[in-house]
Amino acid sequence: MFKRMSAAVLAAVTLGLLATPPAQASAPARYVAMGSSFAAGPGIPPQQPGTPAACGRSTKNYATLVAGRRGFALTDVTCSGATTANILTAAQAGQPPQIEAVTRDTRLVTVTIGGNDVGYVGSLFTYACQNTGGANCGQVDQNAVRAALTTVHEKIGAVIAAVHLRAPRARVLVVDYLTIVPRTAPACDGVPLTPEQLVFEREVADRLAAATRRAARAERATLIPAAAASADHDACAAAPWMERYAAAPGRVPYHPNEAGMAAVADLVTARLRS
């Protein structure tokens, strides 16, 4: 066989033209980030270009940090003010429901949702407005908040189930809400809550975290316990992961800062390695 090798083939071998081509690098895993402001990162500069201003997506939110560390191809559809309905059925800020970003080739989904379904941060804003002499503050209907907390696990569970249906091979991580108010200490300057209001907001935070945990367990998702991890980093802490109500210009009160987003990214990254 070798004696019959043509001169053209011999020349090609000599020039290396018949060498085996290098293997193609695999495409980066597709990652979809969904959720409300605690996932989007409003007020943390710089904001992502080309996205709705109302959504407030930061280039330093936890999804962007995780994608950069792990080399994922990120589709970020998080949006401030989102409820579970904005993930499943309702358009927001000119965008379709967030779930539409999830496709069969999606391999990772993170979601932080449920707080707006129960009026969590909204109630904090209302109390702060009332207690600092604001106008047109509205009222907090504590009974309505408590009623919403009894069913929010079902709404979060429906989000997880929809992800599984659209992307059966995706790993789903449910990130609960970073701690906003002190767990045991009194409120501080910049967090204007009465003792009674503080007790109520702790109840809301605890029940929301429990509902998120329940939904993750029921629908075969992985819980990222940001609430527990941030227990010593509330808005009044020496090393806060959360803005106070009296936030600096451009910052969003009662929302995560850079340290909070980086801490959540650490939790997600560590879980992905395990």
Side-chain angles (χ1 to χ4, degrees):
M1 180 177 69
F2 288 105
K3 289 179 181 180
R4 296 180 181 178
M5 187 178 293
S6 69
V9 173
L10 283 170
V13 172
T14 303
L15 294 173
L17 299 180
L18 297 185
T20 303
Q24 293 293 319
S26 58
R30 186 158 186 270
Y31 168 22
V32 175
M34 304 192 300
S36 62
S37 55
F38 273 53
I44 302 175
Q47 296 291 284
Q48 295 180 20
T51 58
C55 289
R57 291 181 205 134
S58 172
T59 59
K60 296 181 180 178
N61 66 22
Y62 71 75
T64 305
L65 296 177
V66 169
R69 294 175 188 179
R70 298 299 300 266
F72 296 145
L74 173 64
T75 300
D76 186 349
V77 291
T78 59
C79 194
S80 298
T83 64
T84 52
N86 295 125
I87 290 184
L88 295 176
T89 59
Q92 182 187 17
Q95 299 186 122
Q98 295 180 25
I99 193 67
E100 293 189 14
V102 178
T103 56
R104 291 191 67 84
D105 63 343
T106 302
R107 292 295 176 265
L108 173 66
V109 175
T110 55
V111 59
T112 299
I113 203 68
N116 293 317
D117 290 73
V118 302
Y120 180 25
V121 178
S123 65
L124 283 164
F125 272 101
T126 298
Y127 284 141
C129 178
Q130 294 172 350
N131 297 340
T132 57
N136 301 315
C137 300
Q139 298 294 323
V140 175
D141 185 340
Q142 293 190 359
N143 290 332
V145 172
R146 290 185 171 111
L149 283 164
T150 63
T151 59
V152 72
H153 68 281
E154 298 173 353
K155 296 180 178 181
I156 300 170
V159 168
I160 302 169
V163 173
H164 285 316
L165 185 63
R166 293 178 68 94
R169 296 175 61 191
R171 187 171 185 181
V172 186
L173 306 185
V174 183
V175 184
D176 61 14
Y177 284 72
L178 288 164
T179 300
I180 303 175
V181 300
R183 300 293 308 148
T184 56
C188 58
D189 290 341
V191 179
L193 293 172
T194 67
E196 293 78 14
Q197 291 165 353
L198 187 58
V199 169
F200 172 72
E201 295 299 346
R202 287 170 179 158
E203 176 192 346
V204 176
D206 288 345
R207 292 183 62 183
L208 180 58
T212 306
R213 182 171 59 251
R214 180 178 177 182
R217 182 172 58 246
E219 298 295 340
R220 299 175 292 106
T222 300
L223 177 70
I224 303 297
S230 59
D232 295 328
H233 298 279
D234 57 78
C236 292
W241 293 352
M242 187 66 49
E243 299 288 348
R244 297 183 179 189
Y245 180 70
R251 297 291 174 150
V252 179
Y254 295 143
H255 277 73
N257 58 22
E258 287 91 336
M261 284 296 183
V264 174
D266 289 343
L267 293 171
V268 173
T269 303
R271 187 64 180 181
L272 291 173
R273 292 196 189 108
S274 63

